[in-house]
Amino acid sequence: MIVHTVADLRRARRALPGRVALVPTMGALHAGHRALVRAAKEAADHVVVSVFVNPLQFGEQADLDRYPRTLEADAAICAEEGAELVFAPSVDDVYPLPLEVSVRTGRMGEIVEGAARPGHFDGMATVVAKLFGMVRPDLAFFGQKDAQQLAIVRRLVADLNLDLEIVAVPTVREADGFALSSRNRFLSAAERVTGLALSRALFAGRDAVAGGPGSVLAAAEPVLAAAAKEDPPLLLDYLVLADPATFTPVASGHRGPAVLAVAGRVGATRLIDNLPLEF
Ligand code: PAF
């Protein structure tokens, strides 16, 4: 069932007994989202998928305008994967008043991906807090693909004492390693070839993990440098080894978990990817 208003969502939510899982999305669902819904379905009695392109987390109007909107196909995928409810509200329903009170993500929202996209994580965390309030899920599922988002959502739940569990689901990749994303559909064949350098750099870094953080970065960097000379070129934004909980870059002698994260632009499309590592 698709519901479009908060009032209808609340009515439908009250009729769902047992544990309810939320999979928040912006639509244009692909196999990565299927994996989220499947994991949610295994863990809970009922699954709600939200489909909402959140204007608050977009910097450029053009990026918001061209974000793919495919609600019919999305609803079919949700039904195939056994989600009971698709919540697809309007902007006015989610933001009925000009925002006075919103979520600030502080330093965590300003570093790494946040430095490239000012305000993005505040907008993301604000809508996620709203979705938690509207759906009142027992669990919510997020992709590892957006590792910094995942870290910030975990921190949102901890800092605001929210009563739900956040579950991370591994990134789904194509056979050649390219991480799935709703934005991949914008890539030309040549842009995709260049963009493949992101995952190749991460895998090269992972293969060097025994040598420590310095070796990981040294192994990944040449792959990205070569892609910067391709036609079309990769315009590298960052390659960073970060603490998965805070996203602060780790020191050279770091021991324990870390996430190797990379972002760059190919043509008009911004791509991000990451791999969790253990030192
Ligand atoms: O990851 C996304 O698709 C979005 O950032 C989210 C979590 C649905 C919030 O708009």
Side-chain angles (χ1 to χ4, degrees), residues 203-237:
F203 298 144
R206 181 184 59 192
D207 291 346
V209 78
S215 303
V216 165
L217 292 171
E221 274 158 3
V223 181
L224 300 168
K229 295 189 187 124
E230 290 294 333
D231 181 20
L234 169 70
L235 302 175
L236 183 66
D237 205 341

PDB file of all heavy atoms in Angstrom, residues 203-237:
ATOM      1  N   PHE A 203      39.824  -1.214  -3.330  1.00  0.00           N
ATOM      2  CA  PHE A 203      40.273  -2.614  -3.254  1.00  0.00           C
ATOM      3  C   PHE A 203      41.799  -2.676  -3.161  1.00  0.00           C
ATOM      4  O   PHE A 203      42.347  -3.500  -2.440  1.00  0.00           O
ATOM      5  CB  PHE A 203      39.773  -3.417  -4.459  1.00  0.00           C
ATOM      6  CG  PHE A 203      38.268  -3.498  -4.542  1.00  0.00           C
ATOM      7  CD1 PHE A 203      37.604  -3.482  -5.769  1.00  0.00           C
ATOM      8  CD2 PHE A 203      37.489  -3.590  -3.392  1.00  0.00           C
ATOM      9  CE1 PHE A 203      36.221  -3.538  -5.844  1.00  0.00           C
ATOM     10  CE2 PHE A 203      36.102  -3.650  -3.451  1.00  0.00           C
ATOM     11  CZ  PHE A 203      35.467  -3.628  -4.685  1.00  0.00           C
ATOM     12  N   ALA A 204      42.488  -1.777  -3.887  1.00  0.00           N
ATOM     13  CA  ALA A 204      43.962  -1.730  -3.806  1.00  0.00           C
ATOM     14  C   ALA A 204      44.376  -1.371  -2.381  1.00  0.00           C
ATOM     15  O   ALA A 204      45.318  -1.952  -1.833  1.00  0.00           O
ATOM     16  CB  ALA A 204      44.506  -0.712  -4.800  1.00  0.00           C
ATOM     17  N   GLY A 205      43.658  -0.433  -1.766  1.00  0.00           N
ATOM     18  CA  GLY A 205      43.941  -0.056  -0.383  1.00  0.00           C
ATOM     19  C   GLY A 205      43.718  -1.228   0.561  1.00  0.00           C
ATOM     20  O   GLY A 205      44.551  -1.510   1.431  1.00  0.00           O
ATOM     21  N   ARG A 206      42.616  -1.915   0.380  1.00  0.00           N
ATOM     22  CA  ARG A 206      42.308  -3.071   1.245  1.00  0.00           C
ATOM     23  C   ARG A 206      43.413  -4.130   1.153  1.00  0.00           C
ATOM     24  O   ARG A 206      43.795  -4.745   2.147  1.00  0.00           O
ATOM     25  CB  ARG A 206      40.964  -3.670   0.833  1.00  0.00           C
ATOM     26  CG  ARG A 206      40.530  -4.850   1.683  1.00  0.00           C
ATOM     27  CD  ARG A 206      39.251  -5.468   1.162  1.00  0.00           C
ATOM     28  NE  ARG A 206      39.409  -5.918  -0.217  1.00  0.00           N
ATOM     29  CZ  ARG A 206      38.402  -6.286  -1.006  1.00  0.00           C
ATOM     30  NH1 ARG A 206      37.163  -6.248  -0.561  1.00  0.00           N
ATOM     31  NH2 ARG A 206      38.626  -6.691  -2.244  1.00  0.00           N
ATOM     32  N   ASP A 207      43.938  -4.336  -0.069  1.00  0.00           N
ATOM     33  CA  ASP A 207      44.979  -5.354  -0.242  1.00  0.00           C
ATOM     34  C   ASP A 207      46.264  -4.995   0.501  1.00  0.00           C
ATOM     35  O   ASP A 207      47.121  -5.847   0.688  1.00  0.00           O
ATOM     36  CB  ASP A 207      45.282  -5.542  -1.742  1.00  0.00           C
ATOM     37  CG  ASP A 207      44.109  -6.197  -2.470  1.00  0.00           C
ATOM     38  OD1 ASP A 207      43.204  -6.727  -1.780  1.00  0.00           O
ATOM     39  OD2 ASP A 207      44.082  -6.160  -3.717  1.00  0.00           O
ATOM     40  N   ALA A 208      46.402  -3.732   0.878  1.00  0.00           N
ATOM     41  CA  ALA A 208      47.629  -3.282   1.555  1.00  0.00           C
ATOM     42  C   ALA A 208      47.420  -3.099   3.055  1.00  0.00           C
ATOM     43  O   ALA A 208      48.256  -2.491   3.734  1.00  0.00           O
ATOM     44  CB  ALA A 208      48.099  -1.969   0.926  1.00  0.00           C
ATOM     45  N   VAL A 209      46.313  -3.611   3.583  1.00  0.00           N
ATOM     46  CA  VAL A 209      45.942  -3.310   4.974  1.00  0.00           C
ATOM     47  C   VAL A 209      46.985  -3.807   5.983  1.00  0.00           C
ATOM     48  O   VAL A 209      47.182  -3.179   7.029  1.00  0.00           O
ATOM     49  CB  VAL A 209      44.511  -3.845   5.281  1.00  0.00           C
ATOM     50  CG1 VAL A 209      44.501  -5.344   5.520  1.00  0.00           C
ATOM     51  CG2 VAL A 209      43.887  -3.098   6.446  1.00  0.00           C
ATOM     52  N   ALA A 210      47.684  -4.876   5.643  1.00  0.00           N
ATOM     53  CA  ALA A 210      48.676  -5.439   6.578  1.00  0.00           C
ATOM     54  C   ALA A 210      49.796  -4.437   6.865  1.00  0.00           C
ATOM     55  O   ALA A 210      50.409  -4.468   7.932  1.00  0.00           O
ATOM     56  CB  ALA A 210      49.250  -6.735   6.014  1.00  0.00           C
ATOM     57  N   GLY A 211      50.038  -3.521   5.926  1.00  0.00           N
ATOM     58  CA  GLY A 211      51.110  -2.536   6.091  1.00  0.00           C
ATOM     59  C   GLY A 211      50.703  -1.320   6.919  1.00  0.00           C
ATOM     60  O   GLY A 211      51.525  -0.429   7.145  1.00  0.00           O
ATOM     61  N   GLY A 212      49.439  -1.224   7.327  1.00  0.00           N
ATOM     62  CA  GLY A 212      48.985  -0.089   8.146  1.00  0.00           C
ATOM     63  C   GLY A 212      48.381   1.020   7.292  1.00  0.00           C
ATOM     64  O   GLY A 212      48.403   0.965   6.057  1.00  0.00           O
ATOM     65  N   PRO A 213      47.852   2.069   7.960  1.00  0.00           N
ATOM     66  CA  PRO A 213      47.146   3.154   7.255  1.00  0.00           C
ATOM     67  C   PRO A 213      47.946   3.811   6.131  1.00  0.00           C
ATOM     68  O   PRO A 213      47.402   4.085   5.057  1.00  0.00           O
ATOM     69  CB  PRO A 213      46.847   4.150   8.376  1.00  0.00           C
ATOM     70  CG  PRO A 213      46.710   3.295   9.586  1.00  0.00           C
ATOM     71  CD  PRO A 213      47.726   2.199   9.424  1.00  0.00           C
ATOM     72  N   GLY A 214      49.238   4.055   6.359  1.00  0.00           N
ATOM     73  CA  GLY A 214      50.059   4.708   5.330  1.00  0.00           C
ATOM     74  C   GLY A 214      50.110   3.879   4.062  1.00  0.00           C
ATOM     75  O   GLY A 214      50.001   4.418   2.941  1.00  0.00           O
ATOM     76  N   SER A 215      50.273   2.561   4.211  1.00  0.00           N
ATOM     77  CA  SER A 215      50.348   1.670   3.044  1.00  0.00           C
ATOM     78  C   SER A 215      49.027   1.632   2.304  1.00  0.00           C
ATOM     79  O   SER A 215      48.990   1.558   1.065  1.00  0.00           O
ATOM     80  CB  SER A 215      50.698   0.246   3.481  1.00  0.00           C
ATOM     81  OG  SER A 215      51.890   0.242   4.192  1.00  0.00           O
ATOM     82  N   VAL A 216      47.921   1.663   3.048  1.00  0.00           N
ATOM     83  CA  VAL A 216      46.593   1.630   2.417  1.00  0.00           C
ATOM     84  C   VAL A 216      46.416   2.851   1.512  1.00  0.00           C
ATOM     85  O   VAL A 216      46.026   2.742   0.346  1.00  0.00           O
ATOM     86  CB  VAL A 216      45.480   1.566   3.497  1.00  0.00           C
ATOM     87  CG1 VAL A 216      44.120   1.889   2.917  1.00  0.00           C
ATOM     88  CG2 VAL A 216      45.471   0.190   4.146  1.00  0.00           C
ATOM     89  N   LEU A 217      46.733   4.023   2.039  1.00  0.00           N
ATOM     90  CA  LEU A 217      46.570   5.256   1.246  1.00  0.00           C
ATOM     91  C   LEU A 217      47.546   5.263   0.071  1.00  0.00           C
ATOM     92  O   LEU A 217      47.175   5.640  -1.052  1.00  0.00           O
ATOM     93  CB  LEU A 217      46.779   6.488   2.135  1.00  0.00           C
ATOM     94  CG  LEU A 217      45.685   6.698   3.193  1.00  0.00           C
ATOM     95  CD1 LEU A 217      46.078   7.797   4.177  1.00  0.00           C
ATOM     96  CD2 LEU A 217      44.339   7.038   2.542  1.00  0.00           C
ATOM     97  N   ALA A 218      48.771   4.792   0.307  1.00  0.00           N
ATOM     98  CA  ALA A 218      49.782   4.779  -0.769  1.00  0.00           C
ATOM     99  C   ALA A 218      49.362   3.831  -1.893  1.00  0.00           C
ATOM    100  O   ALA A 218      49.706   4.061  -3.062  1.00  0.00           O
ATOM    101  CB  ALA A 218      51.134   4.377  -0.204  1.00  0.00           C
ATOM    102  N   ALA A 219      48.639   2.757  -1.557  1.00  0.00           N
ATOM    103  CA  ALA A 219      48.203   1.813  -2.586  1.00  0.00           C
ATOM    104  C   ALA A 219      47.012   2.350  -3.370  1.00  0.00           C
ATOM    105  O   ALA A 219      46.861   2.096  -4.576  1.00  0.00           O
ATOM    106  CB  ALA A 219      47.834   0.478  -1.935  1.00  0.00           C
ATOM    107  N   ALA A 220      46.163   3.105  -2.705  1.00  0.00           N
ATOM    108  CA  ALA A 220      44.938   3.603  -3.362  1.00  0.00           C
ATOM    109  C   ALA A 220      45.215   4.826  -4.241  1.00  0.00           C
ATOM    110  O   ALA A 220      44.615   4.988  -5.307  1.00  0.00           O
ATOM    111  CB  ALA A 220      43.885   3.932  -2.303  1.00  0.00           C
ATOM    112  N   GLU A 221      46.129   5.679  -3.795  1.00  0.00           N
ATOM    113  CA  GLU A 221      46.342   6.975  -4.473  1.00  0.00           C
ATOM    114  C   GLU A 221      46.697   6.869  -5.959  1.00  0.00           C
ATOM    115  O   GLU A 221      46.121   7.598  -6.783  1.00  0.00           O
ATOM    116  CB  GLU A 221      47.417   7.779  -3.718  1.00  0.00           C
ATOM    117  CG  GLU A 221      46.811   8.580  -2.576  1.00  0.00           C
ATOM    118  CD  GLU A 221      47.812   8.969  -1.493  1.00  0.00           C
ATOM    119  OE1 GLU A 221      49.021   8.666  -1.652  1.00  0.00           O
ATOM    120  OE2 GLU A 221      47.383   9.554  -0.493  1.00  0.00           O
ATOM    121  N   PRO A 222      47.627   5.971  -6.359  1.00  0.00           N
ATOM    122  CA  PRO A 222      48.001   5.925  -7.780  1.00  0.00           C
ATOM    123  C   PRO A 222      46.825   5.568  -8.699  1.00  0.00           C
ATOM    124  O   PRO A 222      46.758   6.039  -9.843  1.00  0.00           O
ATOM    125  CB  PRO A 222      49.069   4.832  -7.841  1.00  0.00           C
ATOM    126  CG  PRO A 222      49.500   4.588  -6.448  1.00  0.00           C
ATOM    127  CD  PRO A 222      48.416   5.044  -5.533  1.00  0.00           C
ATOM    128  N   VAL A 223      45.892   4.757  -8.198  1.00  0.00           N
ATOM    129  CA  VAL A 223      44.726   4.377  -9.016  1.00  0.00           C
ATOM    130  C   VAL A 223      43.891   5.627  -9.319  1.00  0.00           C
ATOM    131  O   VAL A 223      43.430   5.848 -10.437  1.00  0.00           O
ATOM    132  CB  VAL A 223      43.856   3.319  -8.275  1.00  0.00           C
ATOM    133  CG1 VAL A 223      42.673   2.904  -9.133  1.00  0.00           C
ATOM    134  CG2 VAL A 223      44.692   2.120  -7.857  1.00  0.00           C
ATOM    135  N   LEU A 224      43.768   6.485  -8.318  1.00  0.00           N
ATOM    136  CA  LEU A 224      42.978   7.713  -8.484  1.00  0.00           C
ATOM    137  C   LEU A 224      43.729   8.738  -9.324  1.00  0.00           C
ATOM    138  O   LEU A 224      43.125   9.457 -10.139  1.00  0.00           O
ATOM    139  CB  LEU A 224      42.610   8.288  -7.115  1.00  0.00           C
ATOM    140  CG  LEU A 224      41.786   7.327  -6.246  1.00  0.00           C
ATOM    141  CD1 LEU A 224      41.701   7.825  -4.818  1.00  0.00           C
ATOM    142  CD2 LEU A 224      40.390   7.127  -6.843  1.00  0.00           C
ATOM    143  N   ALA A 225      45.051   8.760  -9.164  1.00  0.00           N
ATOM    144  CA  ALA A 225      45.870   9.696  -9.957  1.00  0.00           C
ATOM    145  C   ALA A 225      45.769   9.333 -11.438  1.00  0.00           C
ATOM    146  O   ALA A 225      45.682  10.229 -12.294  1.00  0.00           O
ATOM    147  CB  ALA A 225      47.318   9.646  -9.479  1.00  0.00           C
ATOM    148  N   ALA A 226      45.762   8.035 -11.735  1.00  0.00           N
ATOM    149  CA  ALA A 226      45.652   7.602 -13.140  1.00  0.00           C
ATOM    150  C   ALA A 226      44.281   7.998 -13.695  1.00  0.00           C
ATOM    151  O   ALA A 226      44.169   8.454 -14.845  1.00  0.00           O
ATOM    152  CB  ALA A 226      45.866   6.094 -13.237  1.00  0.00           C
ATOM    153  N   ALA A 227      43.246   7.844 -12.874  1.00  0.00           N
ATOM    154  CA  ALA A 227      41.887   8.182 -13.339  1.00  0.00           C
ATOM    155  C   ALA A 227      41.737   9.683 -13.588  1.00  0.00           C
ATOM    156  O   ALA A 227      40.928  10.104 -14.425  1.00  0.00           O
ATOM    157  CB  ALA A 227      40.854   7.713 -12.318  1.00  0.00           C
ATOM    158  N   ALA A 228      42.531  10.484 -12.875  1.00  0.00           N
ATOM    159  CA  ALA A 228      42.481  11.944 -13.070  1.00  0.00           C
ATOM    160  C   ALA A 228      43.010  12.332 -14.454  1.00  0.00           C
ATOM    161  O   ALA A 228      42.742  13.435 -14.935  1.00  0.00           O
ATOM    162  CB  ALA A 228      43.292  12.634 -11.979  1.00  0.00           C
ATOM    163  N   LYS A 229      43.745  11.399 -15.094  1.00  0.00           N
ATOM    164  CA  LYS A 229      44.299  11.679 -16.435  1.00  0.00           C
ATOM    165  C   LYS A 229      43.461  11.058 -17.540  1.00  0.00           C
ATOM    166  O   LYS A 229      43.812  11.134 -18.719  1.00  0.00           O
ATOM    167  CB  LYS A 229      45.729  11.150 -16.504  1.00  0.00           C
ATOM    168  CG  LYS A 229      46.668  11.864 -15.556  1.00  0.00           C
ATOM    169  CD  LYS A 229      48.109  11.467 -15.820  1.00  0.00           C
ATOM    170  CE  LYS A 229      49.034  12.051 -14.777  1.00  0.00           C
ATOM    171  NZ  LYS A 229      49.830  11.065 -14.085  1.00  0.00           N
ATOM    172  N   GLU A 230      42.387  10.365 -17.177  1.00  0.00           N
ATOM    173  CA  GLU A 230      41.510   9.733 -18.186  1.00  0.00           C
ATOM    174  C   GLU A 230      40.682  10.789 -18.902  1.00  0.00           C
ATOM    175  O   GLU A 230      40.593  11.941 -18.477  1.00  0.00           O
ATOM    176  CB  GLU A 230      40.556   8.742 -17.494  1.00  0.00           C
ATOM    177  CG  GLU A 230      41.202   7.502 -16.950  1.00  0.00           C
ATOM    178  CD  GLU A 230      41.773   6.593 -18.022  1.00  0.00           C
ATOM    179  OE1 GLU A 230      41.261   6.625 -19.164  1.00  0.00           O
ATOM    180  OE2 GLU A 230      42.748   5.884 -17.721  1.00  0.00           O
ATOM    181  N   ASP A 231      40.018  10.375 -19.959  1.00  0.00           N
ATOM    182  CA  ASP A 231      39.074  11.241 -20.667  1.00  0.00           C
ATOM    183  C   ASP A 231      37.720  10.513 -20.712  1.00  0.00           C
ATOM    184  O   ASP A 231      37.612   9.504 -21.402  1.00  0.00           O
ATOM    185  CB  ASP A 231      39.578  11.509 -22.088  1.00  0.00           C
ATOM    186  CG  ASP A 231      38.637  12.418 -22.854  1.00  0.00           C
ATOM    187  OD1 ASP A 231      37.844  13.114 -22.203  1.00  0.00           O
ATOM    188  OD2 ASP A 231      38.686  12.397 -24.093  1.00  0.00           O
ATOM    189  N   PRO A 232      36.726  10.977 -19.946  1.00  0.00           N
ATOM    190  CA  PRO A 232      36.686  12.129 -19.049  1.00  0.00           C
ATOM    191  C   PRO A 232      37.478  11.859 -17.766  1.00  0.00           C
ATOM    192  O   PRO A 232      37.569  10.711 -17.338  1.00  0.00           O
ATOM    193  CB  PRO A 232      35.182  12.262 -18.749  1.00  0.00           C
ATOM    194  CG  PRO A 232      34.659  10.867 -18.852  1.00  0.00           C
ATOM    195  CD  PRO A 232      35.441  10.217 -19.937  1.00  0.00           C
ATOM    196  N   PRO A 233      37.985  12.917 -17.145  1.00  0.00           N
ATOM    197  CA  PRO A 233      38.804  12.714 -15.947  1.00  0.00           C
ATOM    198  C   PRO A 233      37.978  12.554 -14.667  1.00  0.00           C
ATOM    199  O   PRO A 233      36.849  13.021 -14.583  1.00  0.00           O
ATOM    200  CB  PRO A 233      39.612  14.017 -15.868  1.00  0.00           C
ATOM    201  CG  PRO A 233      38.721  15.030 -16.495  1.00  0.00           C
ATOM    202  CD  PRO A 233      37.904  14.333 -17.547  1.00  0.00           C
ATOM    203  N   LEU A 234      38.608  11.911 -13.685  1.00  0.00           N
ATOM    204  CA  LEU A 234      38.052  11.911 -12.323  1.00  0.00           C
ATOM    205  C   LEU A 234      38.557  13.162 -11.621  1.00  0.00           C
ATOM    206  O   LEU A 234      39.774  13.397 -11.572  1.00  0.00           O
ATOM    207  CB  LEU A 234      38.533  10.672 -11.568  1.00  0.00           C
ATOM    208  CG  LEU A 234      38.236  10.675 -10.060  1.00  0.00           C
ATOM    209  CD1 LEU A 234      36.749  10.518  -9.796  1.00  0.00           C
ATOM    210  CD2 LEU A 234      39.026   9.584  -9.341  1.00  0.00           C
ATOM    211  N   LEU A 235      37.639  13.971 -11.107  1.00  0.00           N
ATOM    212  CA  LEU A 235      38.043  15.129 -10.299  1.00  0.00           C
ATOM    213  C   LEU A 235      37.916  14.695  -8.844  1.00  0.00           C
ATOM    214  O   LEU A 235      36.822  14.688  -8.273  1.00  0.00           O
ATOM    215  CB  LEU A 235      37.150  16.337 -10.594  1.00  0.00           C
ATOM    216  CG  LEU A 235      37.131  16.778 -12.070  1.00  0.00           C
ATOM    217  CD1 LEU A 235      36.137  17.900 -12.290  1.00  0.00           C
ATOM    218  CD2 LEU A 235      38.525  17.197 -12.525  1.00  0.00           C
ATOM    219  N   LEU A 236      39.047  14.281  -8.292  1.00  0.00           N
ATOM    220  CA  LEU A 236      39.032  13.699  -6.940  1.00  0.00           C
ATOM    221  C   LEU A 236      38.692  14.755  -5.899  1.00  0.00           C
ATOM    222  O   LEU A 236      39.239  15.853  -5.910  1.00  0.00           O
ATOM    223  CB  LEU A 236      40.406  13.087  -6.626  1.00  0.00           C
ATOM    224  CG  LEU A 236      40.491  12.380  -5.267  1.00  0.00           C
ATOM    225  CD1 LEU A 236      39.612  11.137  -5.223  1.00  0.00           C
ATOM    226  CD2 LEU A 236      41.945  12.024  -4.949  1.00  0.00           C
ATOM    227  N   ASP A 237      37.790  14.388  -5.006  1.00  0.00           N
ATOM    228  CA  ASP A 237      37.412  15.286  -3.917  1.00  0.00           C
ATOM    229  C   ASP A 237      38.219  14.926  -2.668  1.00  0.00           C
ATOM    230  O   ASP A 237      38.878  15.761  -2.062  1.00  0.00           O
ATOM    231  CB  ASP A 237      35.910  15.126  -3.686  1.00  0.00           C
ATOM    232  CG  ASP A 237      35.320  16.347  -3.057  1.00  0.00           C
ATOM    233  OD1 ASP A 237      36.094  17.122  -2.489  1.00  0.00           O
ATOM    234  OD2 ASP A 237      34.092  16.527  -3.119  1.00  0.00           O
TER     235      ASP A 237
END
